[in-house]
Amino acid sequence: MRAYHRWYTALLRLYPKAFRDRYGAELAQTFADLDRERRAKGQSEFVFVASVFAETSASVLRENLDRLRITARQLRIAALVSAALLTLPLVLTLANPASRLRGGAGGVGFDWMPGSFVVMGLMLLALILALQWSVQRLTSPAARLVAALGMLGVFGLVWVELAVGGVSQIFALAVFAHTATSGFVTLPVA
């Protein structure tokens, strides 16, 4: 088997399973037949292989995006939930007389700026859509739980990092603690 036949077979594995099960063998056979015909006629293999790989890559992307398609209803629900969750920080920010939104000096109490609401709104929207996707696509309750916990964990880490740089501070503290306890300190040589 020629190398690009193996590569094409590997490319076909990127299709969603249902699509691959239904059309994969036929696509591989068609590729092999067309390649054999081109070689018999003495035509350029490179141009043929490059064009088929480009077309198949686009098709793989299209099929996978179709599986991830989000309905308008799901998007509306996610947007409404995100907006509802953002009302609490908005109320707390507006209730804080020192907040920058109310003309105060800021830095005291709850003090979100408009950009904070946009970033958090996008993060919440992405989280809710990802959770909806995992509920729809994952069949095992254990897999759903692991996916949800992972998504919530990543969301929390990003939130803490954006809010106070806490993740990088914890990482720096861990590196410092490891260096201090191991005695492995590199000192500059004069």
Side-chain angles (χ1 to χ4, degrees), residues 93-183:
T93 298
L94 293 175
N96 179 6
S99 76
R100 289 173 284 182
L101 283 179
R102 293 189 57 193
V108 178
F110 224 86
D111 186 26
W112 282 27
M113 293 300 294
S116 303
F117 286 100
V118 171
V119 170
M120 186 53 67
L122 292 173
M123 285 177 51
L124 283 168
L125 185 65
L127 174 68
I128 292 165
L129 291 173
L131 289 170
Q132 284 179 345
W133 176 86
S134 67
V135 166
Q136 290 174 349
R137 299 287 190 242
L138 301 175
T139 56
S140 162
R144 287 178 179 169
L145 178 64
V146 168
L149 290 175
M151 288 180 229
L152 288 169
V154 169
F155 177 84
L157 288 174
V158 172
W159 184 8
V160 167
E161 180 61 29
L162 289 174
V164 293
V167 175
S168 56
Q169 289 176 8
I170 291 170
F171 177 73
L173 184 60
V175 169
F176 174 76
H178 172 72
T179 304
T181 58
S182 66

Side-chain angles (χ1 to χ4, degrees), residues 69-82:
R69 189 148 292 159
I70 297 165
T71 66
R73 181 176 182 273
Q74 290 172 315
L75 189 56
R76 276 193 308 273
I77 290 170
L80 287 172
V81 170
S82 298

Side-chain angles (χ1 to χ4, degrees), residues 5-7 12 15 21 23 27 29 36 39 57 63 74 90 109 127 133-134 136 149 159 183 186:
H5 285 258
R6 288 192 302 272
W7 298 340
L12 293 178
Y15 274 113
D21 289 346
Y23 301 110
L27 289 169
Q29 184 61 50
R36 192 172 21 261
R39 278 188 287 125
S57 296
E63 286 297 323
Q74 290 172 315
L90 178 62
L127 174 68
W133 176 86
S134 67
Q136 290 174 349
L149 290 175
W159 184 8
T186 306

